[in-house]
Amino acid sequence: MAKPVSEYTRKRNFDITSEPAETGGKARSSKGKALTFVIHKHDARNLHYDFRLELDGTLKSWAVPKGPSLDPKNKRLAVHVEDHPLGYGSFEGSIPEGQYGAGDVIVWDRGIWQPHGDPRETYKEGKLKFTLIGEKLTGDWALVRTHLRGSGDKEQWLLIKEKDEAVRSGDEYDIVVDKPESVVSGTTVGGGRAPAKKNSRTRKTAASSPEPQAAAAKKPARKAAAGNKRLPDKLAPQLATLVDTPPEGDWLYEIKFDGYRIMTRIIDGEVRMITRNGHDRTERLPLQAKAVSEMNLGDSWLDGEAVVLNDAGLPDFQALQNAFEIGRSKDIVYYLFDVPFLNGEDLREKPVEDRRAALKKLLGKQKNRLLRFSDAFSASHRDIVESACSLSLEGVIGKRAGSVYQSRRSPDWIKLKCKLRQEFVIVGFTKPQGTRSGFGALLLAVNEEGAGLVYAGRVGTGFNQKMLGDLFEQMKPLEQDASPLSKKLTSAQARGVHWIEPTLVGEVEFGEWTREGIIRHSAFIALRSDKPASEVVHEYPRTPKDIKAPFKPKASKAKAEPAQDSPAREKKPASSKRGAQDKDKIDVAGVLISHPERVIDRQSGLHKIDLAHYYESIGDWILPHLDHRPVALLRCPEGVEGEQFFQKHSERLAIPNIKQLDPKLDPGHARLMEIDSVQALVGAAQMGTIELHTWGSTYDQIELPDHFVLDLDPDEALPWRSMIEATQMTLAVLDELGLDAYIKTSGGKGMHVIVPLARKADWDAVKAFAKALAQFISAQLPERFTATSGPKNRVGKIFIDYLRNTRGASTVAAYSVRARPGLPVSVPIARDELASVKSSAQWNISNVLKRLRKLKADPWAGYKNTQRITKPMWKRLGVKAP
């Protein structure tokens, strides 16, 4: 039996309006997630405000003609209207003439709401009470159903402000007049209705609005973003980060398929199947494309992997290659595991479990075995790799519960392999021995930043006779006299080698990397034609500690404006003339920058040379924060969207001008590092470093920290205003304790509070105090804070992360760039600036230098390492001093 059409859908023609359509998929579960609210300002026949609360997978909606009031005496009429889909929460745009609700719509406020009691029961009873945490509205509120009847069958409710510290007299203050603009785009609406066409972005300016000019002048009008837009023609897949062991936390694990990654695009009914490198392979997968077409989807993007299964039901990469070559589409199974867009709706910001649930429901309706859903493992995270290996799988993919879809390599997706396995560039071969034909072994290499092709060992097993012959035939035309390696091999290593042009890429399974960077116990798997040789690098697995704090970028959908104050223009040497195709090395502060033209951030279009110039220009500001401290590097040789790995020790990495510290400081490991000069800063950038993280102590007194850090890390759904208030509350507690504190943006979503200390207490004592402080704050304001890690504990709250205050842990340094879209910077700010900060990622490498030039004083002026943690401080936190 068909599901009845909702009132929301019945009233709208989605071929005309750009409002989001209902997906028809399973509503997202609110369990373990903050409930969102949004207030739309709607300039329809009459200007009004649409108040919407998320409940049971939909937005319960009320039309409030006069808008909310902060005065409890002003009980605002709220007419209950039809439920709206959750996707409507981000809608801004113009509803065309002739459509229901025609006129302009902006997001006037948004945030989270916290119900008092069971919201389903109180909603049913008509007595909803709740707390709002928004950009504009805060405090306690109530929605109360009345017995009055309006036009038609609409219920009449009242929106009432409860008495608390957020109350303002209506005679003195009207928030809808004082703050008329959108919290998303800064635009305003009001004063009649303008004609609107489908997808129109026309918006009346503040000047045309009848609202007070003083209020309208606060923000210049801009064009608002429309609601749903046409799907992107291109979409890069989310890629996984290699790790060595399963991390703690909530993760969903799936099979790591040994196949070709395929993104499927459906636009206007046309199905195209595209590889991760953007190559159209629809003609190689005609049956799979037909099966997708028969699902009758609207405009969508699907994500999956094309594989061929062997007799044991396991992926066989060699068989997949054969099927592709001879066009046996019927042998290929397309496993789907994500759906970034579905039926015109952008699902990328929805939790991964919700996207997968929608996808599973779709696939459950079709019976074509060429399309299958990639189901999750049921084993615990501690047993997950063992379970996968016992099934003879290559490994598993883990996806962080609650994570969004990002077109980049992200620590929210991880890969764990049963054996080490990666691609290598084939640079040569040896003669066969005995009865073997073709060749004996392949010589392998990887690209190393600034060093070219570096030898990585040999592989002589894993070949059958056909593979030996086919591969030998491909290598013969590529033979050359000279070695393509950047460093000559020893005479013993090079004896009998036939060198070839380094264009072939092979996948190899092996047991380990030696300290010299050579693989051991290797076996050849197959040639890979889906990855160019230039992208093959040494894959470094990260540890769970490295990925403890996930990156949470939300790339802007709008193209970044050209930087008027680009760091590349700050202090360029005369030799630094860069064209788009310049392949020469460029001298920056005496360090030669290779591949200066490489784009390291697609959102901003910034290049590797821009990063090098930024670190050269920021030297006077950042070096004091690096002075005498062990530094850890987040290296991203392929840029923000490529592989990322965290490096605490120097190992074999030769960063120009970097200082290696005494090996006794960290026994059992390679040397710790220090960056103490502009040349070392630029050298780090040359080697692919984007982020710089420092210890909480200097190496001359490494066992005695000289500060502690509270990293305020918010739930994604919280508005920025909550972050400012949380920082202010934390500072107030520290003030009460008599501790001087300093603040800086994290460059991501949160804020860092730094408390300088005299070098007296050891690591255990400092961490214990930071923990006690975090627990004290969360106990005083449990509705705002938590001191317990994990996404379930942070719902609607801010996690006070005190865990960085341990030996060997680190925090991103002040003025360090962050490896996130837009290349934001972690920036120190003064206390009196806090209220005016708009985002933790407000400053980036293109505008932070402009800020610094305008400063009249150092934001951290007065910073001294003289404070001590005293017994009275412990006592005031309710904890006995150690």
Side-chain angles (χ1 to χ4, degrees):
M1 183 176 177
K3 182 179 178 181
V5 176
S6 71
E7 185 179 359
Y8 172 85
T9 297
R10 181 178 58 79
K11 289 180 174 180
R12 292 164 175 82
N13 183 343
F14 296 107
D15 291 332
I16 300 175
T17 183
S18 58
E19 296 167 280
E22 293 178 300
T23 63
K26 182 179 178 181
R28 86 163 194 174
S29 170
S30 61
K31 184 178 180 181
K33 299 180 179 67
L35 294 171
T36 61
F37 85 88
V38 63
I39 301 176
H40 283 106
K41 189 176 181 180
H42 189 177
D43 182 20
R45 184 171 55 243
N46 296 301
L47 182 68
H48 65 278
Y49 296 78
D50 292 310
F51 188 91
R52 313 189 196 280
L53 299 176
E54 177 187 351
L55 186 63
D56 289 334
T58 191
L59 289 173
K60 303 295 181 185
S61 299
W62 292 260
V64 184
K66 293 185 178 181
S69 170
L70 302 184
D71 191 336
K73 293 184 297 184
N74 294 337
K75 299 176 175 58
R76 299 299 203 199
L77 174 66
V79 180
H80 204 340
V81 297
E82 73 274 10
D83 294 350
H84 283 51
L86 290 181
Y88 209 96
S90 58
F91 173 68
E92 276 200 342
S94 295
I95 302 173
E97 283 288 350
Q99 288 296 295
Y100 177 75
D104 294 336
V105 179
I106 61 171
V107 177
W108 183 78
D109 196 14
R110 65 180 179 181
I112 69 170
W113 72 287
Q114 299 169 333
H116 301 173
D118 186 333
R120 295 167 187 84
E121 290 297 322
T122 55
Y123 171 69
K124 184 178 179 181
E125 293 169 0
K127 295 180 181 179
L128 264 173
K129 294 195 174 186
F130 48 89
T131 299
L132 293 182
I133 305 176
E135 296 287 358
K136 296 177 180 176
L137 300 186
T138 60
D140 295 336
W141 294 76
L143 271 166
V144 181
R145 186 168 57 228
T146 73
H147 297 295
L148 302 174
R149 305 303 298 181
S151 60
D153 59 352
K154 301 297 185 187
E155 294 178 345
Q156 307 284 300
W157 293 55
L158 296 174
L159 176 63
I160 306 169
K161 179 72 187 76
E162 300 276 83
K163 293 181 179 179
D164 58 22
E165 59 184 17
V167 164
R168 299 281 297 273
S169 169
D171 296 331
E172 301 174 357
Y173 183 75
D174 188 344
I175 191 168
V176 300
V177 172
D178 185 60
K179 298 183 177 181
E181 71 283 347
S182 163
V183 296
V184 173
S185 61
T187 55
T188 62
V189 296
R193 183 174 76 246
K197 300 179 181 179
K198 183 180 180 183
N199 293 331
S200 169
R201 298 187 186 182
T202 303
R203 177 63 53 80
K204 288 180 286 297
T205 66
S208 66
S209 171
E211 295 170 342
Q213 290 185 1
K218 284 190 173 183
K219 282 195 177 180
R222 303 195 307 266
K223 290 184 178 181
N228 279 9
K229 301 177 182 178
R230 176 182 171 88
L231 260 64
D233 290 332
K234 296 181 180 180
L235 183 68
Q238 179 155 349
L239 304 177
T241 298
L242 180 64
V243 298
D244 52 7
T245 56
E248 298 285 347
D250 295 331
W251 294 83
L252 310 175
Y253 287 97
E254 307 166 42
I255 291 174
K256 185 181 186 302
F257 290 106
D258 194 9
Y260 288 143
R261 184 75 173 274
I262 299 291
M263 302 285 289
T264 297
R265 184 191 69 200
I266 307 111
I267 294 183
D268 296 332
E270 182 186 23
V271 176
R272 309 307 298 177
M273 310 194 79
I274 302 165
T275 69
R276 59 175 283 187
N277 291 322
H279 301 302
D280 192 325
R281 292 291 183 262
T282 312
E283 76 285 352
R284 301 284 186 96
L285 298 162
L287 298 179
Q288 289 72 23
K290 181 181 178 183
V292 172
S293 179
E294 290 172 350
M295 295 172 70
N296 296 316
L297 297 178
D299 291 357
S300 303
W301 274 99
L302 310 176
D303 192 356
E305 190 111 354
V307 303
V308 169
L309 304 177
N310 62 18
D311 293 339
L314 298 174
D316 186 330
F317 186 76
Q318 186 66 52
L320 174 67
Q321 286 186 310
N322 294 337
F324 255 69
E325 289 174 6
I326 63 178
R328 290 180 63 88
S329 178
K330 69 181 183 67
D331 294 341
I332 299 173
V333 178
Y334 186 28
Y335 275 97
L336 290 160
F337 44 72
D338 214 319
V339 54
F341 290 83
L342 180 60
N343 292 325
E345 183 180 1
D346 187 346
L347 303 183
R348 290 176 293 179
E349 295 300 315
K350 293 188 178 295
V352 61
E353 52 267 41
D354 291 2
R355 300 195 307 271
R356 284 176 50 78
L359 179 62
K360 187 173 185 178
K361 184 175 181 179
L362 280 177
L363 293 172
K365 296 178 181 179
Q366 60 85 40
K367 298 181 180 180
N368 193 316
R369 297 301 295 166
L370 296 181
L371 301 182
R372 302 185 192 179
F373 179 69
S374 172
D375 238 323
F377 275 92
S378 58
S380 71
H381 83 280
R382 299 183 190 281
D383 304 326
I384 198 71
V385 178
E386 183 178 346
S387 300
C389 295
S390 67
L391 296 173
S392 299
L393 296 171
E394 180 191 349
V396 295
I397 296 290
K399 298 173 183 178
R400 194 190 303 271
S403 62
V404 300
Y405 191 96
Q406 305 170 44
S407 292
R408 61 187 293 272
R409 193 175 300 279
S410 165
D412 284 342
W413 285 20
I414 57 174
K415 54 186 176 182
L416 298 109
K417 298 183 178 182
C418 293
K419 290 185 179 180
L420 292 176
R421 180 168 169 164
Q422 72 160 76
E423 295 87 4
F424 292 89
V425 182
I426 300 172
V427 294
F429 61 90
T430 61
K431 293 181 179 179
Q433 301 292 322
T435 59
R436 187 163 178 166
S437 61
F439 59 90
L442 302 177
L443 275 72
L444 309 173
V446 292
N447 292 285
E448 187 171 289
E449 185 73 25
L453 277 172
V454 176
Y455 180 61
R458 304 184 182 207
V459 58
T461 62
F463 307 101
N464 56 35
Q465 283 300 120
K466 185 177 185 305
M467 291 168 68
L468 286 168
D470 291 347
L471 189 49
F472 184 60
E473 289 302 314
Q474 292 188 60
M475 290 191 295
K476 280 201 307 183
L478 301 176
E479 279 197 67
Q480 60 184 34
D481 294 334
S483 166
L485 297 173
S486 59
K487 184 179 179 180
K488 289 185 177 180
L489 299 184
T490 64
S491 57
Q493 289 174 320
R495 186 175 298 120
V497 171
H498 294 256
W499 300 109
I500 66 171
E501 184 181 340
T503 58
L504 299 178
V505 174
E507 187 168 6
V508 177
E509 185 178 81
F510 55 99
E512 64 175 346
W513 287 95
T514 69
R515 291 182 65 87
E516 292 74 30
I518 305 300
I519 60 172
R520 298 181 61 202
H521 311 303
S522 57
F524 188 79
I525 302 299
L527 278 179
R528 300 296 301 235
S529 59
D530 57 334
K531 187 169 186 178
S534 61
E535 294 183 6
V536 174
V537 296
H538 182 158
E539 295 185 8
Y540 293 84
R542 295 171 68 184
T543 67
K545 184 176 181 181
D546 294 336
I547 64 167
K548 175 182 63 177
F551 296 116
K552 305 164 188 171
K554 292 183 180 178
S556 170
K557 295 180 182 179
K559 185 176 180 181
E561 295 180 1
Q564 299 299 315
D565 200 41
S566 169
R569 303 181 185 184
E570 285 292 320
K571 292 170 63 178
K572 276 191 181 179
S575 60
S576 299
K577 295 179 181 179
R578 172 170 53 83
Q581 302 299 319
D582 181 16
K583 302 296 182 181
D584 298 330
K585 293 183 179 181
I586 294 178
D587 183 294
V588 178
V591 177
L592 291 178
I593 304 299
S594 62
H595 307 292
E597 78 292 341
R598 177 176 294 154
V599 174
I600 60 173
D601 174 44
R602 288 198 300 178
Q603 177 178 310
S604 62
L606 290 167
H607 301 74
K608 182 179 178 182
I609 189 65
D610 297 320
L611 181 68
H613 278 300
Y614 168 77
Y615 276 125
E616 177 195 27
S617 302
I618 203 71
D620 289 344
W621 290 90
I622 193 174
L623 286 173
H625 298 279
L626 301 172
D627 187 36
H628 280 70
R629 295 187 187 279
V631 65
L633 314 174
L634 183 69
R635 296 182 62 210
C636 313
E638 301 169 21
V640 168
E641 296 173 342
E643 194 92 34
Q644 301 179 357
F645 51 92
F646 200 72
Q647 184 166 350
K648 294 171 59 176
H649 302 91
S650 58
E651 298 171 348
R652 296 185 300 108
L653 180 65
I655 294 180
N657 304 294
I658 201 163
K659 182 177 179 180
Q660 297 193 39
L661 302 178
D662 190 329
K664 296 178 182 179
L665 294 174
D666 205 13
H669 298 280
R671 295 186 175 204
L672 295 172
M673 302 171 286
E674 181 197 4
I675 288 179
D676 62 353
S677 67
V678 170
Q679 289 72 26
L681 277 171
V682 176
Q686 155 60 15
M687 297 305 293
T689 299
I690 294 183
E691 296 187 7
L692 306 173
H693 295 242
T694 54
W695 283 41
S697 66
T698 54
Y699 59 76
D700 54 332
Q701 298 188 57
I702 200 165
E703 305 302 336
L704 300 174
D706 64 356
H707 68 264
F708 69 83
V709 179
L710 297 178
D711 179 5
L712 305 183
D713 191 7
D715 181 334
E716 285 271 304
L718 283 170
W720 174 246
R721 172 176 173 170
S722 294
M723 193 69 255
I724 293 177
E725 291 173 347
T727 307
Q728 292 169 334
M729 294 173 190
T730 303
L731 291 171
V733 173
L734 290 165
D735 288 343
E736 286 295 315
L737 290 173
L739 285 172
D740 196 17
Y742 299 81
I743 51 177
K744 68 182 179 74
T745 63
S746 70
K749 291 290 182 183
M751 294 288 288
H752 292 161
V753 179
I754 292 89
V755 179
L757 298 172
R759 297 170 179 82
K760 298 295 181 183
D762 61 16
W763 286 107
D764 290 341
V766 170
K767 179 186 177 183
F769 184 80
K771 179 180 180 180
L773 180 58
Q775 292 176 334
F776 175 83
I777 296 173
S778 61
Q780 297 298 309
L781 295 163
E783 72 282 2
R784 290 294 190 99
F785 295 97
T786 178
T788 306
S789 63
K792 291 182 178 179
N793 300 305
R794 195 176 49 180
V795 175
K797 301 180 181 181
I798 290 170
F799 171 47
I800 308 175
D801 186 355
Y802 60 87
L803 299 172
R804 299 175 183 272
N805 304 295
T806 57
R807 192 187 194 281
S810 58
T811 303
V812 70
Y815 300 109
S816 169
V817 183
R818 303 307 305 270
R820 307 181 184 208
L823 296 181
V825 174
S826 178
V827 176
I829 62 173
R831 283 201 184 193
D832 58 8
E833 292 183 280
L834 177 58
S836 63
V837 175
K838 304 301 182 186
S839 161
S840 187
Q842 177 171 334
W843 291 287
N844 53 56
I845 71 171
S846 295
N847 63 19
V848 72
L849 292 165
K850 182 177 180 181
R851 161 184 163 77
L852 295 178
R853 285 197 299 270
K854 291 182 177 180
L855 285 178
K856 296 181 180 179
D858 185 343
W860 282 13
Y863 187 105
K864 295 180 180 179
N865 297 104
T866 56
Q867 300 182 120
R868 298 192 186 193
I869 300 171
T870 64
K871 288 184 178 181
M873 292 178 187
W874 287 97
K875 185 177 181 180
R876 296 192 69 174
L877 295 178
V879 179
K880 185 178 179 180

